[in-house]
Amino acid sequence: MIIVMKPKAADKNIKAVTQYIEANGLTAHLSQGEQVTIIGVVGDKSRLSTENIALLEDVDRIVPVTESYKLANLKFHPEPSVVKVGCTSIGPKTRTIMAGPCAVESNDQLMLIAEAVKKNGATILRGGAYKPRTSPYSFQGLEEEGLKYMQEAGKAFDLATICEVVSLEAIEAAVKYVDMIQIGARNMQNFILLKEAGRSGLPVLLKRGLCATIDEWLNAAEYIMAEGNPNVVLCERGIRTYETSTRNTLDLSAVPVLKERTHLPVIVDPSHATGAYRYVPPMAKAAVACGADGLMIEVHNNPACALSDGPQSLNFEKFARLSKELDPFWKLAGRN
Amino acid sequence: MIIVMKPKAADKNIKAVTQYIEANGLTAHLSQGEQVTIIGVVGDKSRLSTENIALLEDVDRIVPVTESYKLANLKFHPEPSVVKVGCTSIGPKTRTIMAGPCAVESNDQLMLIAEAVKKNGATILRGGAYKPRTSPYSFQGLEEEGLKYMQEAGKAFDLATICEVVSLEAIEAAVKYVDMIQIGARNMQNFILLKEAGRSGLPVLLKRGLCATIDEWLNAAEYIMAEGNPNVVLCERGIRTYETSTRNTLDLSAVPVLKERTHLPVIVDPSHATGAYRYVPPMAKAAVACGADGLMIEVHNNPACALSDGPQSLNFEKFARLSKELDPFWKLAGRN
Amino acid sequence: MIIVMKPKAADKNIKAVTQYIEANGLTAHLSQGEQVTIIGVVGDKSRLSTENIALLEDVDRIVPVTESYKLANLKFHPEPSVVKVGCTSIGPKTRTIMAGPCAVESNDQLMLIAEAVKKNGATILRGGAYKPRTSPYSFQGLEEEGLKYMQEAGKAFDLATICEVVSLEAIEAAVKYVDMIQIGARNMQNFILLKEAGRSGLPVLLKRGLCATIDEWLNAAEYIMAEGNPNVVLCERGIRTYETSTRNTLDLSAVPVLKERTHLPVIVDPSHATGAYRYVPPMAKAAVACGADGLMIEVHNNPACALSDGPQSLNFEKFARLSKELDPFWKLAGRN
Amino acid sequence: MIIVMKPKAADKNIKAVTQYIEANGLTAHLSQGEQVTIIGVVGDKSRLSTENIALLEDVDRIVPVTESYKLANLKFHPEPSVVKVGCTSIGPKTRTIMAGPCAVESNDQLMLIAEAVKKNGATILRGGAYKPRTSPYSFQGLEEEGLKYMQEAGKAFDLATICEVVSLEAIEAAVKYVDMIQIGARNMQNFILLKEAGRSGLPVLLKRGLCATIDEWLNAAEYIMAEGNPNVVLCERGIRTYETSTRNTLDLSAVPVLKERTHLPVIVDPSHATGAYRYVPPMAKAAVACGADGLMIEVHNNPACALSDGPQSLNFEKFARLSKELDPFWKLAGRN
């Protein structure tokens, strides 16, 4: 941590800062410039509430130097992680495609979709049983019934399965039926849920919050990992900006940034990010091209009749074509 | 709802849309322009998944006309609501000041603060017992113990009390000890928690999410109200923008916008929005000047030693001065 | 400037950085922590291209310590400036109201409006003669003709006058007719125009760019001042965020932030920020309450027939009422 | 255009709106719902100032239906355009790489760089002679001298050339020396400059403003085209968001969105968008993968000594490697 003093800070105030630091068992290094004095703080910073130093007289600002996340940090775990999910895994050599409907609507529907996505390269079946919806009057999902359908469809077509969870109850149910749980964008800083997900024993897909910085996202992953669960996969799904041509703005640069900061695998969801099926294929290719370990794509047997997110879903034919078109991009990324 | 067709949409595609509408028991009104055809949809729209119409051939876009929130809507409840909170209430004639520490740290600390804020015009004591923190390694609150201190301090100084809740367990504990619960910004779209808050029987302060639109916020209020709990108060606390001079950007225009759309009271929290005690007094005055029904302000006996959010807390002297300075602003707002 | 090295930076790389600094005639102060080494740089930084240091081996990041603006900086000019504009001035004791139509439409219209705003407390007549419009097919202003009308109206009613300029030609014309020129939001970083404005001899109202940080804005002011023109007034007019309920998001916190960083006067324009006349009165009051030195408000004799920005314009009656309601807010701000 | 009336709008107010429309020579189509009345407006809307209708009694809001840009609109020009630039061209079959230094520093430097980029696939040499810089105290470019070096280097290595222009003088100079001019992000809505660029006769690269919507960007292109210059190429270079891990947020989804709305070619600049050379290769590949017609990449012989933007520049070796790695991505995009 670095403390920048105001220009012409009084000596007694500089001294007060160094005394505060030393009183907390840390060491202060002074760097006296012509205009400003800078104080480097060395030692175990968890001992002091660093933000309060900003309140001491003549302190201009505090500059943190080390990240607050440790377990997720590439610095302390320099090899990329591989996360096992049921019969498959996600890592630097894999081609992960999570595909399926936004919401599980019926057993028949799910079987149809599972068959279609399996035939076209999907490794994990996705499907929502608990739907967080903006309005309380929208369809909220089949809940546990939907999870059972997921399990059956996964078994029938040899696919791993993933479902979003929104509560402790949902996690307890998910543990019985699916291979991976998802924390959605709206719950990325629902810390209670993160801890429960950490204790569930299942691998966790952590979506980025709509206005979460990359560092906040990695701190959210840290909540899960701090409970003893190292199996976290990150999913970029668009951030909120002023641009309304797409539902959100897909932040693909986050992929190489994350690759520098964390060892956790990174997945991209172009369906939720763009909100329109026409933009899914180009953005899926771009995601693989810039280093994503996998994709999450919404697929529906009949998008025009989907109970949720129809406009962004691919039908079987479009998904099959995309899957074929992705093949050379995976190869270029060293994924065979 | 209005459906805008693409320029030169084929007649058969226009017909397909009207048939789809009528098949769902609704009525379609055509408006044929030189360039584009517009279709107005009349009837109970909850019958059809409107977004899917975007997938029909030649449809350009869908324009919603009515809001999805009803109970929170000023159109259906044209009088401003007054929400009773313990011994006080929040409404168009009241001067609500919620004041207290970010986090409850000890019984002694809370007693000191409660006394000081009561003496200077606060009506509600705030204090966090369950703290959602970005990093899992930061102080997370005293939990139920903290709630007990809140109750004692509230009784001792005749103040209503409010605490943030982050889980069902926290709500169950809060019901026993405090007068109002708060849903924080990070949980604004934690729909499970909103429903539980709705069923708690306590009035609820709903903070705006960091990147929530005003309409999403009102839909979140609708989740609480749809459970039979009409006692919701909204709290603007800054939104996330590109500007980093303040922690968030306080969106004061939201106050008059909300006054046009909802009957629910509106509170402003300049402490969290700005993140710096120096900006709290001017923004508090501005909030009252533009029509806020109240303020939430962080006050600490010794900000430099606060366990959380010290830099944005007022000490007793600053809070007393602000309270005095606010007096004429309240009067100008018709609050005596 | 502070240079933060990566954890476990090699000694030879740390040495390379200090040598680079010293080779540029500056002094390096090392602060060696357990995890990271920090290097403070002391001396005249204009000698080296500081951002390139980021490219040296094992450098983690560069933290600037001093602001790049000098003339606009409160640190070097601690008294608030008063800017003279024609027959009036703008400063810490004044009540500045710039009022008038978005666009000058005719001489008659302008005379009507000038009379009305003068009667109700305006000190400066605003009116656009050169209109930057999103579409090339929208009305672009009366140009020099419009400036002449401004001059006549200003003289007739003893009002100072301000007009937006968009080019060197517009500045040359403006110098002949009006008392102050305005650089609009879209031109805030049109550095050529800023320099010309600096050389014009006229006081300059510098609007904040739609996505400008406060520091970029002060650097833009510096461009004007570096040409020898100290008479700059800043105007907050809303920034672009994801929220669409108002045209832009009025960032009122910028007022106290600016008061800490610069001696230049600060004006607020609630008309352009909100885009709706109904929100202008509450936000105007809030602006005065949080310390603004003045307001810019659009007033039109018949908003429903305005050639530009009708929906955000006040008619005479609404302006008169607002002016009266503002009186106690000015007084509370120490402006008599 | 669609006018949505408020619920329970009075008949006389609905009538007032239709009369206003008809008085302007247009036709109104009523669509009377149970809750709201909708009025479709048919005819030549350029006749009335549509936004003012929002001021008529009981009008809820105005929904525009047709885009305000015509010449740039794919609807009226369904084939993708090919823009000729000196000895090369930019279009749906080309592999455009604009490469070179941020700022032209000397003739020798530019010759070195031109040779290196030519050898590795660049088709256009970029180099800044007029630099818009945030601070007036930063290096501002060699101006006309720099343009001459550009011409010499272009001739020597058979490269087309492009330079940013910031003023009429710069355009007049550029016409003499280079093949294409660039309007930078900060000037995207400098309408005077856009018009001058339109009249210059040279093809124009129009960079997206830091907070410009896609529609505002296309309207800016329309300004150039309305002067009789159809040769406009768009360049996505990152937008401003709350995320600070990259300098801006590269909005790659804008590529497929633009391909649906306009026939103009689209280029992506990953150097300015990310601000860090390490992120340039992955984002360059992603840009080609999602359909970009070309790339703009900063290349410098010695980034650590660059006068501007060193940290985001590739050295020769990195550029050569990227160019080789891009080859299969170009092929997959049908560009041979």
Side-chain angles (χ1 to χ4, degrees):
Chain A
M1 193 180 66
I2 302 162
I3 298 161
V4 182
M5 301 299 293
K6 286 189 184 151
K8 300 178 194 155
D11 282 348
K12 71 172 167 54
N13 293 333
I14 295 172
K15 206 163 172 185
V17 173
T18 58
Q19 282 172 342
Y20 182 95
I21 291 164
E22 285 157 7
N24 281 278
L26 304 168
T27 310
H29 282 255
L30 248 75
S31 174
Q32 211 114 15
E34 275 157 59
Q35 286 187 25
V36 300
T37 294
I38 290 156
I39 303 170
V41 182
V42 174
D44 176 10
K45 258 84 68 180
S46 65
R47 294 185 185 204
L48 85 170
S49 185
T50 57
E51 58 184 14
N52 289 335
I53 297 174
L55 290 169
L56 297 179
E57 209 71 33
D58 275 344
V59 169
D60 194 44
R61 61 206 156 105
I62 306 294
V63 181
V65 166
T66 46
E67 294 87 4
S68 52
Y69 52 93
K70 307 292 171 204
L71 301 170
N73 201 322
L74 190 69
K75 284 179 189 156
F76 308 119
H77 184 308
E79 287 305 306
S81 289
V82 176
V83 172
K84 221 188 143 313
V85 181
C87 49
T88 184
S89 59
I90 309 175
K93 291 289 165 205
T94 64
R95 291 181 177 197
T96 297
I97 300 183
M98 302 179 176
C102 182
V104 176
E105 296 171 14
S106 73
N107 201 3
D108 289 357
Q109 172 233 27
L110 197 61
M111 283 292 181
L112 261 177
I113 296 176
E115 185 181 11
V117 301
K118 173 68 183 184
K119 224 170 36 191
N120 290 292
T123 53
I124 301 178
L125 179 67
R126 65 144 286 149
Y130 301 85
K131 302 299 309 167
R133 302 297 295 270
T134 302
S135 162
Y137 310 122
S138 299
F139 174 63
Q140 313 260 328
L142 296 182
E143 310 200 341
E144 189 156 349
E145 194 65 21
L147 292 176
K148 286 183 195 162
Y149 299 161
M150 286 294 291
Q151 187 182 41
E152 287 176 43
K155 278 190 185 154
F157 297 101
D158 195 28
L159 285 161
T161 51
I162 181 171
C163 259
E164 178 167 359
V165 291
V166 295
S167 64
L168 177 53
E169 287 67 36
I171 291 178
E172 283 168 353
V175 167
K176 292 186 277 175
Y177 303 108
V178 296
D179 299 311
M180 185 178 211
I181 54 178
Q182 172 187 316
I183 304 284
R186 292 180 184 80
N187 279 315
M188 194 204 83
Q189 290 196 315
N190 177 347
F191 300 120
I192 301 297
L193 194 66
L194 294 174
K195 287 179 192 173
E196 300 287 1
R199 290 195 280 262
S200 72
L202 287 183
V204 180
L205 184 77
L206 179 64
K207 288 203 152 186
R208 182 180 188 178
L210 255 81
C211 64
T213 63
I214 290 175
D215 279 0
E216 287 169 343
W217 191 10
L218 289 170
N219 272 295
E222 192 82 4
Y223 263 93
I224 299 168
M225 300 174 85
E227 298 295 324
N229 185 345
N231 299 309
V232 177
V233 176
L234 302 167
C235 179
E236 161 65 31
R237 44 79 71 222
I239 59 173
R240 183 158 271 177
T241 70
Y242 66 82
E243 176 60 65
T244 56
S245 296
T246 43
R247 184 202 278 160
N248 297 122
T249 297
L250 185 64
D251 179 14
L252 280 186
S253 312
V255 177
V257 171
L258 285 168
K259 292 291 173 192
E260 278 192 355
R261 296 193 191 166
T262 185
H263 52 90
L264 300 174
V266 181
I267 294 285
V268 170
D269 175 349
S271 305
H272 280 89
T274 63
Y277 72 88
R278 306 179 311 278
Y279 305 144
V280 170
M283 301 323 289
K285 293 174 197 169
V288 174
C290 72
D293 297 300
L295 297 166
M296 175 173 257
I297 293 172
E298 292 201 347
V299 178
H300 197 280
N301 49 319
N302 184 358
C305 294
L307 290 184
S308 174
D309 281 346
Q312 76 199 32
S313 297
L314 301 187
N315 62 21
F316 295 167
E317 185 208 328
K318 290 193 178 84
F319 178 68
R321 196 182 321 137
L322 171 57
S323 192
K324 202 165 295 169
E325 289 176 2
L326 281 171
D327 181 65
F329 289 94
W330 290 121
K331 281 191 189 127
L332 285 167
R335 298 171 190 272
N336 291 303
Chain B
M1 193 181 65
I2 301 163
I3 298 161
V4 182
M5 301 299 293
K6 286 189 182 152
K8 301 180 194 155
D11 282 349
K12 72 173 166 55
N13 292 334
I14 296 172
K15 206 162 173 189
V17 173
T18 58
Q19 281 172 342
Y20 182 95
I21 291 164
E22 284 157 8
N24 281 279
L26 304 168
T27 309
H29 282 257
L30 249 75
S31 175
Q32 212 114 14
E34 276 158 60
Q35 287 186 25
V36 299
T37 294
I38 290 156
I39 303 170
V41 182
V42 174
D44 176 10
K45 257 85 68 182
S46 65
R47 294 186 186 201
L48 85 169
S49 184
T50 57
E51 59 183 14
N52 289 335
I53 296 175
L55 290 170
L56 298 179
E57 209 72 33
D58 275 344
V59 168
D60 195 43
R61 60 207 157 105
I62 306 293
V63 181
V65 165
T66 45
E67 294 87 5
S68 52
Y69 51 94
K70 308 291 170 204
L71 302 169
N73 201 321
L74 190 69
K75 284 181 190 156
F76 308 119
H77 184 308
E79 287 306 305
S81 289
V82 176
V83 173
K84 220 185 144 317
V85 181
C87 49
T88 184
S89 59
I90 310 174
K93 292 290 165 204
T94 65
R95 292 181 177 197
T96 296
I97 300 182
M98 302 179 176
C102 181
V104 176
E105 297 171 13
S106 72
N107 201 2
D108 288 358
Q109 171 232 28
L110 196 62
M111 283 292 182
L112 262 177
I113 297 176
E115 185 182 11
V117 300
K118 173 68 183 184
K119 225 171 36 194
N120 290 292
T123 54
I124 301 179
L125 178 67
R126 65 144 286 149
Y130 301 86
K131 301 299 308 168
R133 302 296 296 270
T134 301
S135 163
Y137 310 122
S138 299
F139 174 62
Q140 312 261 328
L142 296 182
E143 310 200 343
E144 189 156 349
E145 194 65 20
L147 293 175
K148 285 183 197 163
Y149 300 162
M150 286 295 291
Q151 187 182 40
E152 288 177 43
K155 277 191 187 156
F157 297 101
D158 195 28
L159 285 161
T161 52
I162 180 171
C163 258
E164 178 167 358
V165 290
V166 295
S167 63
L168 177 54
E169 288 68 35
I171 291 177
E172 283 169 353
V175 167
K176 292 186 277 178
Y177 304 108
V178 296
D179 298 312
M180 185 178 210
I181 54 179
Q182 172 187 314
I183 304 284
R186 293 180 184 80
N187 279 315
M188 194 205 85
Q189 290 196 316
N190 178 348
F191 300 120
I192 302 297
L193 194 65
L194 294 174
K195 287 179 192 173
E196 300 287 1
R199 290 194 280 264
S200 72
L202 287 182
V204 180
L205 185 77
L206 180 64
K207 288 202 153 187
R208 182 180 187 178
L210 255 80
C211 64
T213 63
I214 290 176
D215 279 359
E216 288 169 343
W217 190 10
L218 290 170
N219 271 294
E222 192 81 6
Y223 262 93
I224 300 168
M225 300 174 86
E227 298 295 324
N229 185 344
N231 298 310
V232 177
V233 175
L234 302 166
C235 179
E236 161 65 31
R237 44 78 73 222
I239 60 173
R240 182 158 272 176
T241 71
Y242 65 84
E243 177 60 66
T244 56
S245 296
T246 43
R247 183 202 277 161
N248 296 122
T249 297
L250 185 63
D251 179 15
L252 279 186
S253 312
V255 176
V257 171
L258 284 167
K259 293 291 174 194
E260 277 192 355
R261 298 194 190 165
T262 185
H263 52 91
L264 301 173
V266 181
I267 294 285
V268 171
D269 175 350
S271 305
H272 280 90
T274 63
Y277 72 87
R278 307 179 310 279
Y279 305 144
V280 170
M283 302 322 290
K285 293 173 197 169
V288 174
C290 72
D293 297 299
L295 297 165
M296 175 172 258
I297 292 172
E298 293 202 346
V299 178
H300 196 280
N301 48 319
N302 184 0
C305 294
L307 290 184
S308 174
D309 281 345
Q312 75 199 33
S313 297
L314 300 186
N315 61 21
F316 295 167
E317 184 208 329
K318 289 193 178 84
F319 178 68
R321 195 183 322 136
L322 171 57
S323 192
K324 202 166 297 169
E325 288 176 4
L326 280 171
D327 182 66
F329 291 94
W330 291 121
K331 280 191 189 126
L332 284 167
R335 299 171 190 273
N336 291 303
Chain C
M1 194 180 63
I2 303 162
I3 298 161
V4 181
M5 302 299 292
K6 285 187 183 154
K8 300 177 193 155
D11 281 349
K12 71 172 168 51
N13 293 332
I14 294 172
K15 207 165 173 184
V17 173
T18 58
Q19 282 173 343
Y20 182 96
I21 291 164
E22 284 157 8
N24 281 278
L26 304 168
T27 310
H29 282 256
L30 249 74
S31 175
Q32 213 114 14
E34 276 156 57
Q35 287 187 23
V36 300
T37 294
I38 291 156
I39 303 170
V41 182
V42 174
D44 176 9
K45 259 83 69 178
S46 66
R47 294 185 185 203
L48 85 169
S49 186
T50 56
E51 58 184 13
N52 290 334
I53 296 174
L55 290 170
L56 298 178
E57 209 72 32
D58 275 345
V59 169
D60 193 44
R61 61 207 157 104
I62 307 294
V63 181
V65 165
T66 47
E67 294 87 5
S68 51
Y69 52 93
K70 307 290 172 206
L71 302 168
N73 201 322
L74 189 69
K75 284 180 188 156
F76 307 120
H77 184 309
E79 286 306 306
S81 288
V82 176
V83 173
K84 221 187 142 313
V85 181
C87 50
T88 183
S89 58
I90 310 175
K93 291 288 165 206
T94 65
R95 291 181 179 197
T96 296
I97 300 182
M98 304 180 173
C102 181
V104 176
E105 297 171 14
S106 74
N107 201 4
D108 289 358
Q109 171 233 27
L110 197 61
M111 284 293 182
L112 261 178
I113 296 175
E115 186 181 12
V117 301
K118 174 68 182 183
K119 226 171 32 193
N120 290 291
T123 53
I124 302 178
L125 179 66
R126 63 145 288 151
Y130 302 85
K131 300 302 306 168
R133 302 296 295 269
T134 301
S135 163
Y137 310 122
S138 299
F139 174 62
Q140 313 262 328
L142 295 181
E143 310 200 341
E144 189 155 349
E145 195 65 20
L147 293 175
K148 286 183 196 161
Y149 300 161
M150 285 294 292
Q151 187 181 42
E152 288 177 43
K155 277 191 185 152
F157 297 100
D158 195 28
L159 285 160
T161 51
I162 181 171
C163 259
E164 178 167 357
V165 293
V166 294
S167 64
L168 176 54
E169 289 67 34
I171 291 177
E172 283 168 352
V175 167
K176 292 187 277 178
Y177 303 108
V178 296
D179 299 311
M180 186 179 210
I181 55 178
Q182 172 187 316
I183 304 283
R186 292 180 185 82
N187 280 316
M188 193 205 85
Q189 290 196 316
N190 177 347
F191 300 120
I192 302 297
L193 194 66
L194 293 175
K195 288 179 190 171
E196 300 288 1
R199 289 193 281 263
S200 72
L202 286 183
V204 181
L205 184 76
L206 179 64
K207 288 203 153 186
R208 182 181 188 178
L210 254 80
C211 62
T213 63
I214 290 175
D215 279 0
E216 288 169 344
W217 191 11
L218 289 170
N219 271 295
E222 192 82 6
Y223 263 93
I224 299 168
M225 299 174 85
E227 298 295 323
N229 185 345
N231 298 310
V232 177
V233 176
L234 302 166
C235 179
E236 161 65 31
R237 43 80 69 223
I239 61 173
R240 183 158 272 176
T241 70
Y242 67 83
E243 177 59 66
T244 57
S245 296
T246 44
R247 184 201 278 161
N248 296 123
T249 297
L250 184 64
D251 180 14
L252 280 186
S253 312
V255 177
V257 171
L258 284 167
K259 292 291 173 192
E260 277 192 355
R261 298 194 189 165
T262 185
H263 52 90
L264 300 173
V266 181
I267 294 284
V268 171
D269 176 349
S271 304
H272 280 90
T274 62
Y277 71 88
R278 307 179 309 279
Y279 305 142
V280 170
M283 300 323 290
K285 293 173 198 170
V288 174
C290 71
D293 297 300
L295 297 166
M296 173 171 261
I297 292 172
E298 292 201 348
V299 178
H300 196 280
N301 48 320
N302 185 358
C305 294
L307 290 184
S308 174
D309 281 345
Q312 76 199 33
S313 298
L314 300 186
N315 62 19
F316 295 167
E317 185 208 330
K318 290 193 177 83
F319 178 68
R321 195 181 323 136
L322 170 58
S323 192
K324 200 164 298 168
E325 289 176 1
L326 281 171
D327 182 66
F329 290 94
W330 291 120
K331 280 191 190 128
L332 285 168
R335 299 171 189 276
N336 292 302
Chain D
M1 193 180 63
I2 302 163
I3 298 160
V4 181
M5 302 298 293
K6 285 189 184 152
K8 300 178 194 157
D11 281 348
K12 72 171 167 51
N13 292 333
I14 295 172
K15 206 163 173 185
V17 173
T18 59
Q19 281 172 344
Y20 182 96
I21 291 164
E22 284 157 9
N24 280 279
L26 304 168
T27 309
H29 282 255
L30 249 74
S31 175
Q32 212 114 15
E34 274 157 59
Q35 288 187 24
V36 300
T37 294
I38 291 156
I39 303 170
V41 182
V42 175
D44 177 10
K45 258 84 69 180
S46 66
R47 295 184 185 203
L48 84 170
S49 185
T50 56
E51 58 183 15
N52 289 335
I53 296 175
L55 290 169
L56 298 180
E57 207 73 32
D58 274 343
V59 169
D60 193 45
R61 60 205 157 106
I62 306 293
V63 181
V65 165
T66 47
E67 295 86 5
S68 52
Y69 52 93
K70 307 292 171 202
L71 301 168
N73 200 322
L74 190 69
K75 284 180 189 158
F76 308 120
H77 185 308
E79 287 305 306
S81 288
V82 176
V83 172
K84 222 187 141 315
V85 180
C87 50
T88 184
S89 58
I90 310 175
K93 292 290 165 205
T94 65
R95 290 181 180 199
T96 297
I97 300 182
M98 304 180 173
C102 181
V104 176
E105 296 170 14
S106 74
N107 201 2
D108 289 357
Q109 171 233 27
L110 197 60
M111 283 294 182
L112 261 178
I113 296 176
E115 186 182 10
V117 300
K118 173 69 183 183
K119 224 171 35 191
N120 290 291
T123 54
I124 301 178
L125 180 67
R126 64 144 287 150
Y130 301 85
K131 301 301 307 167
R133 302 297 295 269
T134 301
S135 163
Y137 310 121
S138 299
F139 173 62
Q140 313 262 326
L142 296 181
E143 308 198 344
E144 188 155 350
E145 195 65 20
L147 291 176
K148 286 183 196 161
Y149 299 161
M150 285 294 292
Q151 187 181 42
E152 287 177 43
K155 277 192 186 152
F157 297 101
D158 194 30
L159 285 161
T161 51
I162 181 171
C163 258
E164 178 167 357
V165 293
V166 295
S167 63
L168 177 54
E169 289 66 36
I171 291 177
E172 283 168 352
V175 167
K176 292 186 278 178
Y177 304 108
V178 295
D179 299 311
M180 186 178 209
I181 53 178
Q182 172 187 315
I183 304 284
R186 291 180 185 81
N187 279 316
M188 194 205 84
Q189 289 196 315
N190 178 347
F191 301 120
I192 301 297
L193 194 66
L194 294 175
K195 287 180 191 171
E196 299 287 2
R199 289 193 281 264
S200 72
L202 286 182
V204 180
L205 185 76
L206 179 64
K207 287 202 154 188
R208 183 180 186 177
L210 255 80
C211 63
T213 63
I214 290 176
D215 279 0
E216 288 169 345
W217 191 9
L218 290 170
N219 272 296
E222 192 82 5
Y223 263 94
I224 299 169
M225 299 174 85
E227 297 295 324
N229 185 345
N231 299 310
V232 177
V233 176
L234 303 167
C235 180
E236 161 64 32
R237 45 77 72 223
I239 60 173
R240 183 157 272 176
T241 70
Y242 66 83
E243 177 59 66
T244 57
S245 296
T246 43
R247 184 200 277 161
N248 297 122
T249 298
L250 185 63
D251 180 13
L252 281 186
S253 312
V255 177
V257 171
L258 284 167
K259 292 292 173 192
E260 278 192 354
R261 297 195 189 165
T262 185
H263 52 90
L264 300 173
V266 181
I267 295 285
V268 170
D269 175 350
S271 305
H272 280 89
T274 63
Y277 73 86
R278 306 179 311 278
Y279 305 143
V280 171
M283 300 323 290
K285 294 173 197 170
V288 175
C290 72
D293 297 300
L295 298 166
M296 173 171 260
I297 292 172
E298 293 201 348
V299 177
H300 196 280
N301 49 319
N302 185 358
C305 294
L307 291 184
S308 173
D309 280 345
Q312 76 200 32
S313 297
L314 300 187
N315 62 20
F316 295 167
E317 184 207 330
K318 289 194 179 83
F319 178 67
R321 194 181 324 137
L322 171 58
S323 193
K324 201 164 297 167
E325 288 175 3
L326 280 171
D327 181 66
F329 290 94
W330 290 120
K331 281 192 189 125
L332 284 168
R335 300 170 188 275
N336 291 304

